[in-house]
Amino acid sequence: MTAVDPTAIEAGHKEARRARWFARLGVADRWFQVLGLAWLTPLIKAAAGDNPRAQMRDVWRLLGVPLLAIAGFLALWAALAPQVQTSLGAIPGPGQVWTEAVGLHEDAVRTAEKKARFEEQVALRNERLVEQGRADEVKEIAFTGSPSYYDQIGTSIMTVFFGFLVASAVAIPLGIMAGLSATANAALNPLIQIFKPVSPLAWLPIVTMVVSAVSAAEGGLFAKSFLVSAITVTLCSLWPTLINTALGVAQVDRDLVNVSKVLKMSPRAKITKLVLPSALPLIFTGLRLSLGVGWMVLIAAEMLAQNPGLGKFVWDEFQNGSSSSLARIIVAVLTIGIIGFLLDRVMFALQSLFTYAPNR
């Protein structure tokens, strides 16, 4: 009879637990990469004793080097900014920009408090009128104060998503048509090549006149400035999605297409069960490119259309010409860059949920 070594059994259980733990970490690593936190995986592995030296090299590459690069950029900015003199004074350094960012936050908090007090007073007024039997005089009164910095950020994000969704609703069906039909591709290709390079500054006058003609009266569902900005975003951002969708659909495996013919699949079933799943990686690539293009286009569109978003904020500060204007414009530039990065991360996360391609 063979004796069982309890130490060996415990070691086996420990190794099995360790393997399960690392398997879970591998799943979490996918989301760390999506969120831009890929450095967490080697850090956790190093803490668990899995080749700490090699893992810390990965932490240095994924976290240390980017932080060092940012620190170097800030140091270079702080050193060179005072050397550049403009009509409004020297270019502000990181410290001045941070001060203005804090000031914009404080202004936004004060504006939110004013709006809350105003809405509370309107609600009390309406309650008194109802109590006095004058319900016919009850009305909603909009807050007329200037929008805060956060309100302008919200307006820009809402505008770009509106334009992006409309562009996607147009581009994806057209891309599927172009990918499935050589005739449709031949018809769409000249239009794509002509209109894809057109600048948003060229579209704006046309869009402005069309929107003004169609919505002659005020008080519609959307403000004219919002529609002008959103439609300009749509016209400039639909092309990457259209092109990538057509390319993805055209590259669907011919064997799968032949199988769909043998199974006598309906056109709808063919598209939803065969074409779209195969083309999704390239479609999402197009969507990410389109959202990035739309965000860039939006700022110029808001400047000229005077839609109360970040573009108008930059234009107003440029026209203001105060000593703090340059610093506030730089705050807006950094905000635009950070939001653009976050929008791309959102699309990357959606792509990770719906596609399984190893390379995205």
Side-chain angles (χ1 to χ4, degrees):
M1 184 174 180
T2 305
V4 178
D5 185 359
T7 306
I9 294 175
E10 179 61 28
H13 289 166
K14 185 176 180 181
E15 189 61 31
R17 288 195 299 270
R18 182 182 174 87
R20 287 196 299 270
W21 190 84
F22 275 103
R24 294 191 187 101
L25 182 60
V27 174
D29 180 57
R30 286 184 56 211
W31 291 105
F32 289 156
Q33 293 183 27
V34 168
L35 298 171
L37 302 174
W39 52 271
L40 277 175
T41 300
L43 189 64
I44 295 172
K45 286 183 177 179
D50 182 18
N51 196 354
R53 179 172 294 183
Q55 300 299 342
M56 291 312 293
R57 281 200 298 268
D58 287 341
V59 172
W60 168 252
R61 176 176 57 85
L62 295 170
L63 179 63
V65 173
L67 289 178
L68 187 64
I70 292 172
F73 168 75
L74 291 175
L76 192 64
W77 176 12
L80 295 180
Q83 312 301 322
V84 182
Q85 295 292 328
T86 70
S87 58
L88 299 177
I91 295 291
Q96 294 168 276
V97 171
W98 175 254
T99 301
E100 289 300 326
V102 172
L104 286 171
H105 167 72
E106 292 172 350
D107 288 343
V109 171
R110 285 193 292 270
T111 300
E113 290 173 351
K114 288 180 184 177
K115 185 176 180 181
R117 285 197 299 269
F118 176 81
E119 290 175 349
E120 184 180 351
Q121 290 171 357
V122 171
L124 288 173
R125 170 188 175 276
N126 289 338
E127 286 178 9
R128 290 196 202 98
L129 290 173
V130 171
E131 291 171 358
Q132 296 169 6
R134 298 157 59 191
D136 56 314
E137 298 180 29
V138 171
K139 59 182 178 179
E140 294 296 328
I141 304 174
F143 180 69
T144 56
S146 58
S148 69
Y149 188 61
Y150 295 148
D151 292 332
Q152 291 170 305
I153 291 174
T155 298
S156 290
I157 292 175
M158 184 174 66
T159 306
V160 78
F161 269 114
F162 184 90
F164 168 72
L165 291 174
V166 173
S168 302
V170 173
I172 292 175
L174 289 179
I176 293 172
M177 286 173 53
L180 291 176
S181 169
T183 303
N185 184 60
L188 289 171
N189 189 56
L191 300 176
I192 295 171
Q193 300 306 322
I194 291 170
F195 291 117
K196 182 167 66 72
V198 176
S199 166
L201 301 180
W203 282 118
L204 266 170
I206 300 172
V207 174
T208 302
M209 288 187 287
V210 170
V211 170
S212 298
V214 172
S215 57
E218 292 290 345
L221 184 59
F222 299 107
K224 289 182 182 180
S225 59
F226 173 85
L227 288 175
V228 170
S229 300
I231 293 172
T232 304
V233 168
T234 297
L235 291 172
C236 295
S237 67
L238 63 86
W239 311 112
T241 299
L242 200 162
I243 293 169
N244 278 272
T245 301
L247 183 61
V249 171
Q251 289 182 351
V252 173
D253 193 336
R254 291 292 98 186
D255 291 338
L256 293 176
V257 176
N258 292 333
V259 168
S260 71
K261 293 178 180 177
V262 171
L263 295 176
K264 296 182 180 179
M265 296 175 68
S266 66
R268 180 177 178 180
K270 178 181 175 182
I271 291 172
T272 57
K273 298 182 182 300
L274 175 64
V275 172
L276 282 179
S278 300
L280 268 181
L282 271 174
I283 292 175
F284 268 104
T285 299
L287 290 171
R288 289 173 67 185
L289 291 171
S290 289
L291 188 56
V293 169
W295 184 245
M296 287 190 295
V297 165
L298 174 71
I299 305 306
E302 286 184 334
M303 282 184 179
L304 297 181
Q306 292 295 289
N307 188 41
L310 282 171
K312 187 175 185 299
F313 174 85
V314 171
W315 182 253
D316 288 344
E317 289 298 330
F318 174 72
Q319 294 291 326
N320 184 25
S322 68
S323 57
S324 62
S325 291
L326 272 177
R328 291 190 169 209
I329 290 173
I330 293 174
V331 172
V333 168
L334 295 175
T335 302
I336 292 164
I338 291 169
I339 292 174
F341 167 75
L342 294 176
L343 291 177
D344 184 70
R345 290 290 94 185
V346 168
M347 291 305 301
F348 186 60
L350 290 174
Q351 183 175 357
S352 300
L353 284 173
F354 291 104
T355 66
Y356 299 94
N359 298 318
R360 298 184 174 93

